[in-house]
Structures are given as structure tokens and as C-alpha cells.
PDB file of all heavy atoms in Angstrom:
ATOM      1  N   LYS C   1      18.040   8.560   5.565  1.00  0.00           N
ATOM      2  CA  LYS C   1      17.401   9.475   6.522  1.00  0.00           C
ATOM      3  C   LYS C   1      16.079   8.915   7.049  1.00  0.00           C
ATOM      4  O   LYS C   1      15.840   8.853   8.253  1.00  0.00           O
ATOM      5  CB  LYS C   1      17.157  10.852   5.877  1.00  0.00           C
ATOM      6  CG  LYS C   1      18.398  11.561   5.421  1.00  0.00           C
ATOM      7  CD  LYS C   1      18.068  12.848   4.698  1.00  0.00           C
ATOM      8  CE  LYS C   1      17.204  12.689   3.487  1.00  0.00           C
ATOM      9  NZ  LYS C   1      17.765  11.875   2.371  1.00  0.00           N
ATOM     10  N   THR C   2      15.207   8.527   6.133  1.00  0.00           N
ATOM     11  CA  THR C   2      13.871   8.041   6.554  1.00  0.00           C
ATOM     12  C   THR C   2      13.998   6.732   7.340  1.00  0.00           C
ATOM     13  O   THR C   2      13.289   6.546   8.316  1.00  0.00           O
ATOM     14  CB  THR C   2      12.958   7.869   5.329  1.00  0.00           C
ATOM     15  OG1 THR C   2      12.857   9.159   4.684  1.00  0.00           O
ATOM     16  CG2 THR C   2      11.558   7.410   5.731  1.00  0.00           C
ATOM     17  N   SER C   3      14.919   5.871   6.949  1.00  0.00           N
ATOM     18  CA  SER C   3      15.121   4.640   7.703  1.00  0.00           C
ATOM     19  C   SER C   3      15.601   4.935   9.123  1.00  0.00           C
ATOM     20  O   SER C   3      15.152   4.282  10.080  1.00  0.00           O
ATOM     21  CB  SER C   3      16.145   3.743   7.006  1.00  0.00           C
ATOM     22  OG  SER C   3      15.656   3.330   5.745  1.00  0.00           O
ATOM     23  N   LEU C   4      16.490   5.915   9.276  1.00  0.00           N
ATOM     24  CA  LEU C   4      16.944   6.300  10.611  1.00  0.00           C
ATOM     25  C   LEU C   4      15.794   6.838  11.419  1.00  0.00           C
ATOM     26  O   LEU C   4      15.595   6.468  12.582  1.00  0.00           O
ATOM     27  CB  LEU C   4      18.056   7.346  10.484  1.00  0.00           C
ATOM     28  CG  LEU C   4      18.526   7.967  11.825  1.00  0.00           C
ATOM     29  CD1 LEU C   4      19.214   6.933  12.698  1.00  0.00           C
ATOM     30  CD2 LEU C   4      19.427   9.153  11.558  1.00  0.00           C
ATOM     31  N   VAL C   5      14.990   7.719  10.835  1.00  0.00           N
ATOM     32  CA  VAL C   5      13.871   8.306  11.530  1.00  0.00           C
ATOM     33  C   VAL C   5      12.865   7.223  11.948  1.00  0.00           C
ATOM     34  O   VAL C   5      12.368   7.206  13.066  1.00  0.00           O
ATOM     35  CB  VAL C   5      13.175   9.395  10.640  1.00  0.00           C
ATOM     36  CG1 VAL C   5      11.859   9.830  11.226  1.00  0.00           C
ATOM     37  CG2 VAL C   5      14.120  10.589  10.482  1.00  0.00           C
ATOM     38  N   LYS C   6      12.606   6.268  11.068  1.00  0.00           N
ATOM     39  CA  LYS C   6      11.719   5.145  11.415  1.00  0.00           C
ATOM     40  C   LYS C   6      12.237   4.360  12.606  1.00  0.00           C
ATOM     41  O   LYS C   6      11.494   3.966  13.479  1.00  0.00           O
ATOM     42  CB  LYS C   6      11.545   4.216  10.222  1.00  0.00           C
ATOM     43  CG  LYS C   6      10.627   4.713   9.160  1.00  0.00           C
ATOM     44  CD  LYS C   6      10.509   3.710   8.009  1.00  0.00           C
ATOM     45  CE  LYS C   6       9.670   4.284   6.881  1.00  0.00           C
ATOM     46  NZ  LYS C   6       9.617   3.375   5.722  1.00  0.00           N
ATOM     47  N   ALA C   7      13.554   4.147  12.646  1.00  0.00           N
ATOM     48  CA  ALA C   7      14.176   3.384  13.732  1.00  0.00           C
ATOM     49  C   ALA C   7      14.100   4.139  15.059  1.00  0.00           C
ATOM     50  O   ALA C   7      13.941   3.521  16.102  1.00  0.00           O
ATOM     51  CB  ALA C   7      15.617   3.063  13.408  1.00  0.00           C
ATOM     52  N   LEU C   8      14.179   5.452  15.039  1.00  0.00           N
ATOM     53  CA  LEU C   8      14.180   6.264  16.268  1.00  0.00           C
ATOM     54  C   LEU C   8      12.784   6.581  16.766  1.00  0.00           C
ATOM     55  O   LEU C   8      12.552   6.779  17.962  1.00  0.00           O
ATOM     56  CB  LEU C   8      14.927   7.581  16.043  1.00  0.00           C
ATOM     57  CG  LEU C   8      16.420   7.507  15.792  1.00  0.00           C
ATOM     58  CD1 LEU C   8      16.958   8.879  15.432  1.00  0.00           C
ATOM     59  CD2 LEU C   8      17.147   6.933  17.005  1.00  0.00           C
ATOM     60  N   SER C   9      11.796   6.637  15.858  1.00  0.00           N
ATOM     61  CA  SER C   9      10.501   7.173  16.193  1.00  0.00           C
ATOM     62  C   SER C   9       9.576   6.189  16.912  1.00  0.00           C
ATOM     63  O   SER C   9       9.571   4.999  16.590  1.00  0.00           O
ATOM     64  CB  SER C   9       9.783   7.656  14.942  1.00  0.00           C
ATOM     65  OG  SER C   9      10.544   8.680  14.325  1.00  0.00           O
ATOM     66  N   VAL C  10       8.836   6.730  17.861  1.00  0.00           N
ATOM     67  CA  VAL C  10       7.774   5.945  18.511  1.00  0.00           C
ATOM     68  C   VAL C  10       6.425   6.637  18.346  1.00  0.00           C
ATOM     69  O   VAL C  10       5.403   6.051  18.609  1.00  0.00           O
ATOM     70  CB  VAL C  10       8.068   5.729  20.018  1.00  0.00           C
ATOM     71  CG1 VAL C  10       9.294   4.856  20.201  1.00  0.00           C
ATOM     72  CG2 VAL C  10       8.256   7.036  20.750  1.00  0.00           C
ATOM     73  N   ILE C  11       6.463   7.894  17.893  1.00  0.00           N
ATOM     74  CA  ILE C  11       5.256   8.674  17.671  1.00  0.00           C
ATOM     75  C   ILE C  11       5.283   9.156  16.236  1.00  0.00           C
ATOM     76  O   ILE C  11       6.231   9.823  15.826  1.00  0.00           O
ATOM     77  CB  ILE C  11       5.156   9.889  18.640  1.00  0.00           C
ATOM     78  CG1 ILE C  11       5.206   9.423  20.085  1.00  0.00           C
ATOM     79  CG2 ILE C  11       3.885  10.706  18.351  1.00  0.00           C
ATOM     80  CD1 ILE C  11       5.451  10.576  21.079  1.00  0.00           C
ATOM     81  N   LEU C  12       4.244   8.813  15.463  1.00  0.00           N
ATOM     82  CA  LEU C  12       4.184   9.237  14.068  1.00  0.00           C
ATOM     83  C   LEU C  12       3.015  10.182  13.858  1.00  0.00           C
ATOM     84  O   LEU C  12       1.930   9.945  14.375  1.00  0.00           O
ATOM     85  CB  LEU C  12       4.022   8.035  13.138  1.00  0.00           C
ATOM     86  CG  LEU C  12       5.127   6.991  13.209  1.00  0.00           C
ATOM     87  CD1 LEU C  12       4.770   5.794  12.326  1.00  0.00           C
ATOM     88  CD2 LEU C  12       6.460   7.564  12.798  1.00  0.00           C
ATOM     89  N   SER C  13       3.258  11.276  13.134  1.00  0.00           N
ATOM     90  CA  SER C  13       2.177  12.193  12.845  1.00  0.00           C
ATOM     91  C   SER C  13       1.439  11.732  11.601  1.00  0.00           C
ATOM     92  O   SER C  13       1.849  10.805  10.928  1.00  0.00           O
ATOM     93  CB  SER C  13       2.726  13.605  12.651  1.00  0.00           C
ATOM     94  OG  SER C  13       3.246  13.736  11.353  1.00  0.00           O
ATOM     95  N   THR C  14       0.372  12.420  11.303  1.00  0.00           N
ATOM     96  CA  THR C  14      -0.360  12.086  10.048  1.00  0.00           C
ATOM     97  C   THR C  14       0.434  12.515   8.836  1.00  0.00           C
ATOM     98  O   THR C  14       0.137  12.083   7.727  1.00  0.00           O
ATOM     99  CB  THR C  14      -1.743  12.786  10.024  1.00  0.00           C
ATOM    100  OG1 THR C  14      -1.554  14.193  10.192  1.00  0.00           O
ATOM    101  CG2 THR C  14      -2.639  12.246  11.103  1.00  0.00           C
ATOM    102  N   ALA C  15       1.467  13.331   9.013  1.00  0.00           N
ATOM    103  CA  ALA C  15       2.333  13.756   7.913  1.00  0.00           C
ATOM    104  C   ALA C  15       3.730  13.193   8.140  1.00  0.00           C
ATOM    105  O   ALA C  15       4.710  13.907   8.164  1.00  0.00           O
ATOM    106  CB  ALA C  15       2.358  15.279   7.823  1.00  0.00           C
ATOM    107  N   SER C  16       3.807  11.885   8.302  1.00  0.00           N
ATOM    108  CA  SER C  16       5.134  11.327   8.616  1.00  0.00           C
ATOM    109  C   SER C  16       5.556  10.274   7.595  1.00  0.00           C
ATOM    110  O   SER C  16       4.723   9.560   7.006  1.00  0.00           O
ATOM    111  CB  SER C  16       5.091  10.678  10.005  1.00  0.00           C
ATOM    112  OG  SER C  16       4.243   9.539   9.998  1.00  0.00           O
ATOM    113  N   LEU C  17       6.815  10.237   7.364  1.00  0.00           N
ATOM    114  CA  LEU C  17       7.482   9.141   6.684  1.00  0.00           C
ATOM    115  C   LEU C  17       6.854   8.707   5.382  1.00  0.00           C
ATOM    116  O   LEU C  17       6.306   7.611   5.255  1.00  0.00           O
ATOM    117  CB  LEU C  17       7.614   7.967   7.640  1.00  0.00           C
ATOM    118  CG  LEU C  17       8.207   8.305   9.032  1.00  0.00           C
ATOM    119  CD1 LEU C  17       8.286   7.115   9.901  1.00  0.00           C
ATOM    120  CD2 LEU C  17       9.526   9.013   8.902  1.00  0.00           C
ATOM    121  N   ASP C  18       6.915   9.592   4.427  1.00  0.00           N
ATOM    122  CA  ASP C  18       6.491   9.294   3.062  1.00  0.00           C
ATOM    123  C   ASP C  18       5.026   8.870   2.930  1.00  0.00           C
ATOM    124  O   ASP C  18       4.691   7.910   2.258  1.00  0.00           O
ATOM    125  CB  ASP C  18       7.401   8.222   2.431  1.00  0.00           C
ATOM    126  CG  ASP C  18       8.861   8.700   2.381  1.00  0.00           C
ATOM    127  OD1 ASP C  18       9.079   9.937   2.372  1.00  0.00           O
ATOM    128  OD2 ASP C  18       9.750   7.835   2.325  1.00  0.00           O
ATOM    129  N   LYS C  19       4.127   9.605   3.578  1.00  0.00           N
ATOM    130  CA  LYS C  19       2.703   9.329   3.467  1.00  0.00           C
ATOM    131  C   LYS C  19       2.162   9.675   2.081  1.00  0.00           C
ATOM    132  O   LYS C  19       1.200   9.102   1.613  1.00  0.00           O
ATOM    133  CB  LYS C  19       1.920  10.155   4.494  1.00  0.00           C
ATOM    134  CG  LYS C  19       2.175   9.739   5.924  1.00  0.00           C
ATOM    135  CD  LYS C  19       1.426   8.518   6.301  1.00  0.00           C
ATOM    136  CE  LYS C  19       1.610   8.267   7.790  1.00  0.00           C
ATOM    137  NZ  LYS C  19       1.018   7.064   8.242  1.00  0.00           N
ATOM    138  N   ASN C  20       2.834  10.615   1.406  1.00  0.00           N
ATOM    139  CA  ASN C  20       2.433  11.012   0.072  1.00  0.00           C
ATOM    140  C   ASN C  20       2.538   9.827  -0.885  1.00  0.00           C
ATOM    141  O   ASN C  20       3.615   9.208  -1.009  1.00  0.00           O
ATOM    142  CB  ASN C  20       3.338  12.155  -0.379  1.00  0.00           C
ATOM    143  CG  ASN C  20       2.959  12.723  -1.738  1.00  0.00           C
ATOM    144  OD1 ASN C  20       2.490  12.022  -2.612  1.00  0.00           O
ATOM    145  ND2 ASN C  20       3.216  13.998  -1.919  1.00  0.00           N
ATOM    146  N   PRO C  21       1.440   9.457  -1.562  1.00  0.00           N
ATOM    147  CA  PRO C  21       1.488   8.304  -2.469  1.00  0.00           C
ATOM    148  C   PRO C  21       2.586   8.428  -3.535  1.00  0.00           C
ATOM    149  O   PRO C  21       3.196   7.438  -3.921  1.00  0.00           O
ATOM    150  CB  PRO C  21       0.100   8.291  -3.107  1.00  0.00           C
ATOM    151  CG  PRO C  21      -0.766   9.050  -2.202  1.00  0.00           C
ATOM    152  CD  PRO C  21       0.111  10.050  -1.497  1.00  0.00           C
ATOM    153  N   GLN C  22       2.863   9.633  -3.973  1.00  0.00           N
ATOM    154  CA  GLN C  22       3.903   9.844  -4.958  1.00  0.00           C
ATOM    155  C   GLN C  22       5.276   9.543  -4.372  1.00  0.00           C
ATOM    156  O   GLN C  22       6.156   9.056  -5.084  1.00  0.00           O
ATOM    157  CB  GLN C  22       3.832  11.297  -5.499  1.00  0.00           C
ATOM    158  CG  GLN C  22       4.442  11.453  -6.853  1.00  0.00           C
ATOM    159  CD  GLN C  22       4.268  12.834  -7.381  1.00  0.00           C
ATOM    160  OE1 GLN C  22       4.393  13.829  -6.665  1.00  0.00           O
ATOM    161  NE2 GLN C  22       3.944  12.932  -8.674  1.00  0.00           N
ATOM    162  N   SER C  23       5.463   9.786  -3.060  1.00  0.00           N
ATOM    163  CA  SER C  23       6.708   9.420  -2.392  1.00  0.00           C
ATOM    164  C   SER C  23       6.939   7.912  -2.464  1.00  0.00           C
ATOM    165  O   SER C  23       8.039   7.443  -2.747  1.00  0.00           O
ATOM    166  CB  SER C  23       6.719   9.861  -0.936  1.00  0.00           C
ATOM    167  OG  SER C  23       6.876  11.242  -0.796  1.00  0.00           O
ATOM    168  N   ARG C  24       5.897   7.165  -2.145  1.00  0.00           N
ATOM    169  CA  ARG C  24       6.018   5.716  -2.165  1.00  0.00           C
ATOM    170  C   ARG C  24       6.246   5.197  -3.575  1.00  0.00           C
ATOM    171  O   ARG C  24       7.039   4.317  -3.792  1.00  0.00           O
ATOM    172  CB  ARG C  24       4.743   5.078  -1.556  1.00  0.00           C
ATOM    173  CG  ARG C  24       4.741   5.201  -0.052  1.00  0.00           C
ATOM    174  CD  ARG C  24       3.572   4.469   0.556  1.00  0.00           C
ATOM    175  NE  ARG C  24       2.839   5.458   1.337  1.00  0.00           N
ATOM    176  CZ  ARG C  24       1.551   5.549   1.438  1.00  0.00           C
ATOM    177  NH1 ARG C  24       0.778   4.713   0.830  1.00  0.00           N
ATOM    178  NH2 ARG C  24       1.000   6.463   2.174  1.00  0.00           N
ATOM    179  N   GLN C  25       5.557   5.833  -4.546  1.00  0.00           N
ATOM    180  CA  GLN C  25       5.701   5.397  -5.929  1.00  0.00           C
ATOM    181  C   GLN C  25       7.133   5.647  -6.440  1.00  0.00           C
ATOM    182  O   GLN C  25       7.704   4.791  -7.103  1.00  0.00           O
ATOM    183  CB  GLN C  25       4.671   6.125  -6.800  1.00  0.00           C
ATOM    184  CG  GLN C  25       4.729   5.773  -8.263  1.00  0.00           C
ATOM    185  CD  GLN C  25       3.759   6.632  -9.087  1.00  0.00           C
ATOM    186  OE1 GLN C  25       3.070   7.499  -8.587  1.00  0.00           O
ATOM    187  NE2 GLN C  25       3.681   6.368 -10.366  1.00  0.00           N
ATOM    188  N   ARG C  26       7.670   6.825  -6.130  1.00  0.00           N
ATOM    189  CA  ARG C  26       9.009   7.180  -6.624  1.00  0.00           C
ATOM    190  C   ARG C  26      10.136   6.654  -5.728  1.00  0.00           C
ATOM    191  O   ARG C  26      11.292   6.642  -6.118  1.00  0.00           O
ATOM    192  CB  ARG C  26       9.094   8.703  -6.741  1.00  0.00           C
ATOM    193  CG  ARG C  26       8.198   9.241  -7.818  1.00  0.00           C
ATOM    194  CD  ARG C  26       8.200  10.726  -7.909  1.00  0.00           C
ATOM    195  NE  ARG C  26       9.526  11.244  -8.213  1.00  0.00           N
ATOM    196  CZ  ARG C  26       9.800  12.538  -8.225  1.00  0.00           C
ATOM    197  NH1 ARG C  26       8.892  13.432  -7.943  1.00  0.00           N
ATOM    198  NH2 ARG C  26      11.045  12.939  -8.501  1.00  0.00           N
ATOM    199  N   GLY C  27       9.787   6.253  -4.490  1.00  0.00           N
ATOM    200  CA  GLY C  27      10.802   5.722  -3.596  1.00  0.00           C
ATOM    201  C   GLY C  27      11.696   6.772  -2.964  1.00  0.00           C
ATOM    202  O   GLY C  27      12.805   6.481  -2.536  1.00  0.00           O
ATOM    203  N   ILE C  28      11.234   8.017  -2.933  1.00  0.00           N
ATOM    204  CA  ILE C  28      11.985   9.094  -2.298  1.00  0.00           C
ATOM    205  C   ILE C  28      11.063   9.960  -1.456  1.00  0.00           C
ATOM    206  O   ILE C  28       9.866  10.029  -1.720  1.00  0.00           O
ATOM    207  CB  ILE C  28      12.755   9.975  -3.302  1.00  0.00           C
ATOM    208  CG1 ILE C  28      11.803  10.713  -4.243  1.00  0.00           C
ATOM    209  CG2 ILE C  28      13.794   9.190  -4.065  1.00  0.00           C
ATOM    210  CD1 ILE C  28      12.471  11.754  -5.141  1.00  0.00           C
ATOM    211  N   THR C  29      11.615  10.646  -0.497  1.00  0.00           N
ATOM    212  CA  THR C  29      10.846  11.580   0.356  1.00  0.00           C
ATOM    213  C   THR C  29      10.606  12.841  -0.448  1.00  0.00           C
ATOM    214  O   THR C  29      11.560  13.458  -0.972  1.00  0.00           O
ATOM    215  CB  THR C  29      11.604  11.863   1.630  1.00  0.00           C
ATOM    216  OG1 THR C  29      11.777  10.658   2.351  1.00  0.00           O
ATOM    217  CG2 THR C  29      10.851  12.870   2.522  1.00  0.00           C
ATOM    218  N   LEU C  30       9.342  13.254  -0.551  1.00  0.00           N
ATOM    219  CA  LEU C  30       8.986  14.469  -1.255  1.00  0.00           C
ATOM    220  C   LEU C  30       8.562  15.594  -0.351  1.00  0.00           C
ATOM    221  O   LEU C  30       8.660  16.779  -0.705  1.00  0.00           O
ATOM    222  CB  LEU C  30       7.857  14.175  -2.269  1.00  0.00           C
ATOM    223  CG  LEU C  30       8.189  13.182  -3.372  1.00  0.00           C
ATOM    224  CD1 LEU C  30       6.929  12.857  -4.193  1.00  0.00           C
ATOM    225  CD2 LEU C  30       9.298  13.728  -4.246  1.00  0.00           C
ATOM    226  N   ASP C  31       8.009  15.250   0.806  1.00  0.00           N
ATOM    227  CA  ASP C  31       7.505  16.255   1.766  1.00  0.00           C
ATOM    228  C   ASP C  31       8.254  16.114   3.071  1.00  0.00           C
ATOM    229  O   ASP C  31       8.901  15.116   3.335  1.00  0.00           O
ATOM    230  CB  ASP C  31       6.014  15.982   2.042  1.00  0.00           C
ATOM    231  CG  ASP C  31       5.171  16.089   0.796  1.00  0.00           C
ATOM    232  OD1 ASP C  31       5.380  17.020   0.003  1.00  0.00           O
ATOM    233  OD2 ASP C  31       4.278  15.216   0.619  1.00  0.00           O
ATOM    234  N   LEU C  32       8.080  17.116   3.936  1.00  0.00           N
ATOM    235  CA  LEU C  32       8.603  17.025   5.280  1.00  0.00           C
ATOM    236  C   LEU C  32       7.806  15.942   6.010  1.00  0.00           C
ATOM    237  O   LEU C  32       6.588  15.893   5.894  1.00  0.00           O
ATOM    238  CB  LEU C  32       8.481  18.356   6.026  1.00  0.00           C
ATOM    239  CG  LEU C  32       9.255  19.532   5.440  1.00  0.00           C
ATOM    240  CD1 LEU C  32       8.931  20.792   6.240  1.00  0.00           C
ATOM    241  CD2 LEU C  32      10.741  19.251   5.409  1.00  0.00           C
ATOM    242  N   GLY C  33       8.485  15.108   6.785  1.00  0.00           N
ATOM    243  CA  GLY C  33       7.827  14.092   7.590  1.00  0.00           C
ATOM    244  C   GLY C  33       8.056  14.392   9.062  1.00  0.00           C
ATOM    245  O   GLY C  33       9.168  14.765   9.428  1.00  0.00           O
ATOM    246  N   PHE C  34       7.046  14.216   9.873  1.00  0.00           N
ATOM    247  CA  PHE C  34       7.177  14.545  11.307  1.00  0.00           C
ATOM    248  C   PHE C  34       6.936  13.303  12.152  1.00  0.00           C
ATOM    249  O   PHE C  34       5.967  12.587  11.940  1.00  0.00           O
ATOM    250  CB  PHE C  34       6.186  15.651  11.699  1.00  0.00           C
ATOM    251  CG  PHE C  34       6.393  16.915  10.928  1.00  0.00           C
ATOM    252  CD1 PHE C  34       5.736  17.149   9.721  1.00  0.00           C
ATOM    253  CD2 PHE C  34       7.299  17.865  11.385  1.00  0.00           C
ATOM    254  CE1 PHE C  34       5.941  18.320   9.022  1.00  0.00           C
ATOM    255  CE2 PHE C  34       7.512  19.031  10.690  1.00  0.00           C
ATOM    256  CZ  PHE C  34       6.851  19.273   9.495  1.00  0.00           C
ATOM    257  N   SER C  35       7.841  13.073  13.075  1.00  0.00           N
ATOM    258  CA  SER C  35       7.700  11.959  14.019  1.00  0.00           C
ATOM    259  C   SER C  35       8.433  12.363  15.294  1.00  0.00           C
ATOM    260  O   SER C  35       9.008  13.445  15.343  1.00  0.00           O
ATOM    261  CB  SER C  35       8.265  10.681  13.419  1.00  0.00           C
ATOM    262  OG  SER C  35       9.642  10.844  13.170  1.00  0.00           O
TER     263      SER C  35
END
């Protein structure tokens, strides 16, 4: 899902695509991401 969103998106919000450090650490999306 996140890879697809990254491929489609040209505008990223401050709450987009695994910005949460815990998301990056665990390798999964934990919060809603907006783009």
C-alpha cells in the first residue's frame, strides 16, 4: 500500500508515509498517511 502511494504521490503532507519513527523502526504503517 505505502509503496503504491509513494509511486502515485507528488504532494506529501507532514503526516505522510510512515513519518512516525516507530513505523520506520517496525517496518509497518502505524498511522494514517496523507499524500
Side-chain angles (χ1 to χ4, degrees):
K1 298 175 301 298
T2 302
S3 295
L4 173 66
V5 169
K6 283 180 185 177
L8 293 173
S9 299
V10 294
I11 302 167
L12 300 176
S13 79
T14 56
S16 67
L17 311 180
D18 299 336
K19 294 280 186 185
N20 183 327
Q22 204 175 41
S23 286
R24 284 186 236 140
Q25 180 184 2
R26 293 176 61 186
I28 62 172
T29 299
L30 297 173
D31 300 317
L32 298 176
F34 299 92
S35 61

